């Protein structure tokens, strides 16, 4: 029973999140599991009772950056007379384990991405027995089962994690080692959480997973599934159609996908489900079949282009997005030209490009054919110039159109609001604050590389 007097003392929680949307989601869940212990989020680390660094291992020197950040936080802990619990979570925690505590004695807790549900217990123990230092065993357990199913929504958009882990073992990537094997969350749990978010006013749900389109699950029951395809096993397309039926959910997105798991039913869902937003982030990494093979991607450039063609058939206005790596070991001028040609053929709305950097322990780190840094930099610049040209043109193509925008917050200037277009572009426009959380029609009058500017077409909800 909860009463005024049994409420825990308010405590200050600071979480710093690095890296991908999975980490953003995990940080939200950590806030949720810690709320019952009285932890309230604060904006800065100084004076916090609990500081969590939710780390990412994908970028170069990620580990060193975490140690340097920990050095700063240690000083704050000393200034607070030691009254601060420091936790390191996420993929660096998974990779480094107890080594973190050895190198930085101020750290109290280390926990991997599968162990957030244990956080309250670990924090309680660490603050009861000051000096007791804890680490998780990093076992891959069904973390989805152990997390609370209800969450506090924070605005009209929300992430919903449906899948974890990766079995693809691309030769450059640490994720299969840090996030473990692919795991799909059960349908009932996802629907429960989606309904709960909808009840709190969420209108746009982004389904998350390292390989989100590898998601699969048993249909809830045959009876419930009737009319929605009665096959016993659902893929992501079926899940999206089901979530689209929840009252209040107008927009559904999913990220990030792998070409090998892009099945025809998911592509069809882009054509037959109104709530499915016209956006697909499908990383290809390279346009050269030689490099794709060396990367162990399990698909060719032709297969990828075929998927993109089918996507455009299913949803003609779709915005296509990707990730690229240049300078992978053995990449020749011709391989790089294949990448540029693929980009020209697809014509992206947005894409992220990276210079290859070796991750210790991954197969590519031991490959021959090192590409000199100046060559890789030159390729990166050429690729980025082409991608930015396409991104600018995509954004500019919306000028003159009146588009539905989900209003997500106040703009920087007085009287301004911002929101998101169906194609995931940021849109800025003058509007009353009362439009927050609505989908309004906005006439686009300007476009830059990263945003659209518009004018409110009318102040009422768009159809
Ligand atoms: N070097 C450069 N980029 C990488 N990525 C993943 N691992 C590496 C690496 N070792 C990029 C990929 C991936 C994105 C999240 O980060 O493009 O899709
Ligand atoms: Fe890494 Fe490849 Fe898995 Fe993506 S699909 S997380 S790049 S191993």
């Amino acid at each position: 029973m909860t009463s005024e007097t049994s409420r825990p003392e308010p405590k200050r929680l600071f979480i710093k999140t690095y890296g991908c949307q999975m980490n953003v989601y995990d940080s939200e869940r950590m806030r949720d599991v810690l709320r019952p212990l009285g932890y309230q989020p604060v904006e800065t680390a100084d004076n916090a009772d609990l500081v969590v660094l939710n780390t990412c291992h994908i970028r170069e020197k990620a580990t060193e950056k975490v140690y340097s950040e920990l050095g700063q936080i240690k000083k704050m802990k000393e200034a607070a007379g030691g009254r601060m619990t420091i936790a390191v979570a996420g993929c660096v925690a998974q990779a480094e384990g107890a080594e973190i505590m050895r190198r930085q004695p101020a750290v109290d807790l280390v926990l991997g991405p599968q162990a957030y549900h244990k956080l309250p217990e670990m924090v309680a123990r660490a603050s009861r027995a000051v000096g007791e230092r804890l680490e998780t065993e990093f076992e891959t357990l069904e973390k989805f089962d152990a997390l609370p199913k209800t969450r506090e929504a924070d605005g009209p958009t929300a992430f919903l994690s449906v899948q974890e882990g990766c079995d693809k073992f691309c030769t450059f990537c640490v994720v299969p080692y840090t996030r473990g094997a692919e795991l799909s969350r059960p349908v009932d749990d996802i629907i429960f959480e989606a309904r709960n978010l909808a009840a709190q006013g969420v209108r746009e749900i982004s389904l998350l997973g390292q390989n989100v389109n590898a998601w699969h699950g048993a249909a809830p029951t045959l009876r419930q599934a009737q009319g929605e395809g009665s096959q016993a096993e659902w893929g992501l397309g079926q899940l999206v159609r089901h979530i689209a039926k929840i009252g209040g959910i107008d927009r559904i997105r999913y990220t990030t996908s792998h070409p090998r798991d892009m099945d025809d039913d998911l592509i069809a869902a882009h054509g037959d489900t109104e709530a499915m937003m016209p956006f697909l982030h499908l990383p290809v990494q390279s346009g050269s079949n030689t490099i794709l093979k060396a990367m162990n991607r399990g698909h060719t450039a032709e297969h990828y282009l075929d998927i993109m063609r089918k996507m455009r058939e299913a949803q003609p206005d779709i915005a296509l997005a990707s990730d690229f790596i240049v300078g992978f070991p053995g990449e020749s001028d011709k391989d790089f030209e294949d990448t540029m040609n693929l980009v020209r053929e697809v014509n992206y709305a947005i894409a992220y490009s990276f210079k290859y950097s070796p991750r210790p322990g991954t197969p590519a780190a031991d490959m021959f054919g090192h590409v000199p840094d100046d060559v890789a930099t030159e390729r990166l610049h050429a690729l980025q110039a082409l991608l930015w040209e396409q991104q600018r043109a995509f954004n500019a193509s919306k000028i003159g159109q009146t588009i539905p925008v989900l209003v997500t917050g106040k703009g920087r200037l007085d009287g301004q609001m911002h929101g998101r277009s169906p194609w995931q572009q940021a849109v800025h426009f003058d509007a009353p604050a009362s439009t927050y959380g609505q989908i309004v029609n906005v006439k686009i009058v300007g476009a830059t590389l990263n945003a659209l500017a518009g004018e409110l077409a009318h102040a009422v909800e768009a159809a």
Side-chain angles (χ1 to χ4, degrees):
M1 220 180 76
T2 321
S3 72
E4 265 323 293
T5 47
S6 68
R7 224 179 254 165
E9 281 280 294
K11 295 183 206 83
R12 297 154 63 93
L13 165 67
F14 175 72
I15 304 186
K16 179 158 180 176
T17 311
Y18 302 79
C20 66
Q21 286 172 330
M22 291 297 288
N23 270 14
V24 174
Y25 178 84
D26 283 342
S27 292
E28 275 179 29
R29 302 307 306 258
M30 285 194 256
R31 285 185 197 103
D32 289 340
V33 294
L34 288 167
R35 200 166 281 116
L37 292 186
Y39 282 95
Q40 297 295 332
V42 293
E43 298 292 317
T44 55
D46 47 334
N47 286 325
D49 297 289
L50 171 61
V51 174
V52 182
L53 296 188
N54 191 9
T55 61
C56 167
H57 203 228
I58 212 151
R59 297 277 155 260
E60 205 175 6
K61 301 203 184 84
T63 310
E64 288 317 305
K65 280 180 198 147
V66 169
Y67 282 116
S68 121
E69 182 87 31
L70 283 171
Q72 300 298 316
I73 295 169
K74 175 185 169 227
K75 286 185 200 143
M76 296 175 196
K77 182 170 182 164
E78 282 165 359
R83 282 181 304 278
M84 177 189 280
T85 304
I86 303 178
V88 181
C91 296
V92 171
Q94 177 80 23
E96 292 280 289
E99 174 66 13
I100 295 183
M101 298 207 198
R102 203 188 56 72
R103 268 188 68 179
Q104 181 46 271
V107 172
D108 302 277
L109 310 172
V110 177
L111 65 160
Q114 314 288 343
Y116 300 136
H117 56 286
K118 290 188 184 166
L119 191 55
E121 180 204 325
M122 290 171 78
V123 167
R125 272 176 63 186
S127 48
R128 264 199 309 270
V130 177
E132 186 185 9
R133 304 175 74 209
L134 303 162
E135 58 167 310
T136 51
E137 286 151 22
F138 299 109
E139 75 272 47
T140 28
L141 67 129
E142 306 263 324
K143 81 161 188 176
F144 290 132
D145 286 354
L147 285 172
K149 305 266 182 288
T150 55
R151 293 167 47 201
E152 254 178 57
D154 182 22
T157 63
F159 292 127
L160 202 174
S161 181
V162 301
Q163 188 275 343
E164 263 269 350
C166 178
D167 298 337
K168 303 290 189 293
F169 289 93
C170 298
T171 52
F172 53 81
C173 185
V174 288
V175 167
Y177 310 96
T178 54
R179 288 276 173 165
E182 288 178 3
L183 185 74
S184 291
R185 192 175 184 190
V187 173
D188 286 345
D189 290 4
I190 296 169
I191 298 298
F192 187 89
E193 190 168 325
R195 285 210 178 103
N196 175 266
L197 291 168
Q200 295 180 67
V202 167
R203 306 194 59 173
E204 177 175 304
I205 288 185
S206 296
L207 306 176
L208 289 186
Q210 260 95 32
N211 265 284
V212 71
N213 60 339
W215 181 89
H216 58 96
T221 66
L222 216 53
R223 187 177 47 77
Q224 272 174 286
Q226 270 162 7
E228 299 156 32
S230 49
Q231 66 263 42
E233 185 80 359
W234 280 3
L236 192 64
Q238 280 292 77
L239 182 68
V240 166
R241 290 189 191 100
H242 202 70
I243 294 174
K245 294 198 168 135
I246 297 173
I249 300 300
D250 299 301
R251 294 178 161 203
I252 302 171
R253 303 177 186 277
Y254 59 96
T255 197
T256 290
S257 300
H258 193 288
R260 267 156 69 185
D261 296 313
M262 206 67 214
D263 64 38
D264 285 343
D265 188 56
L266 179 56
I267 298 174
H270 275 267
D272 63 35
T273 308
E274 208 185 317
M276 181 74 112
M277 286 295 99
F279 189 92
L280 174 69
H281 182 223
L282 193 68
V284 66
Q285 313 296 357
S286 170
S288 152
N289 286 338
T290 316
I291 297 299
L292 288 172
K293 194 153 193 257
M295 286 176 164
N296 190 34
R297 292 286 295 172
H299 63 83
T300 59
E302 291 74 26
H303 178 212
Y304 179 86
L305 289 169
D306 201 43
I307 296 171
M308 295 313 225
R309 186 186 50 73
K310 285 189 195 162
M311 291 303 304
R312 284 209 162 105
E313 266 167 35
Q315 207 171 19
D317 67 337
I318 193 158
L320 299 173
S322 184
D323 294 351
F324 293 91
I325 295 177
V326 299
F328 187 82
E331 187 188 66
S332 65
D333 286 343
K334 161 81 175 62
D335 293 320
F336 177 64
E337 202 40 48
D338 288 348
T339 298
M340 294 291 275
N341 284 335
L342 181 138
V343 172
R344 287 184 194 107
E345 186 157 348
V346 174
N347 194 11
Y348 287 100
I350 187 164
Y352 308 91
S353 41
F354 310 95
K355 209 160 48 168
Y356 170 72
S357 80
R359 297 285 173 278
T362 58
D366 299 324
M367 283 181 188
F368 296 109
H370 171 78
V371 175
D373 193 56
D374 55 334
V375 175
T377 303
E378 208 176 293
R379 288 179 188 165
L380 184 68
H381 289 163
L383 176 60
Q384 282 177 342
L386 177 59
L387 289 169
W388 289 341
E389 188 188 309
Q390 295 186 347
Q391 187 172 328
R392 276 208 180 85
F394 180 78
N395 288 348
S397 73
K398 304 297 172 201
I399 294 176
Q401 292 184 22
T402 297
I403 63 170
V405 174
L406 173 59
V407 188
T408 49
K410 280 197 172 155
R412 251 171 295 154
L413 305 176
D414 244 12
Q416 208 182 48
M417 300 296 282
H418 63 74
R420 229 192 268 184
S421 82
W423 307 277
Q424 204 151 292
Q425 297 143 302
V427 188
H428 301 274
F429 52 99
D430 285 343
S434 59
T435 54
Y436 178 71
Q438 288 185 37
I439 296 176
V440 295
N441 282 326
V442 174
K443 179 162 185 209
I444 302 306
V445 295
T448 61
L449 179 64
N450 291 314
L452 301 178
E455 289 162 0
L456 197 58
H458 52 81
V460 293
E461 283 254 359

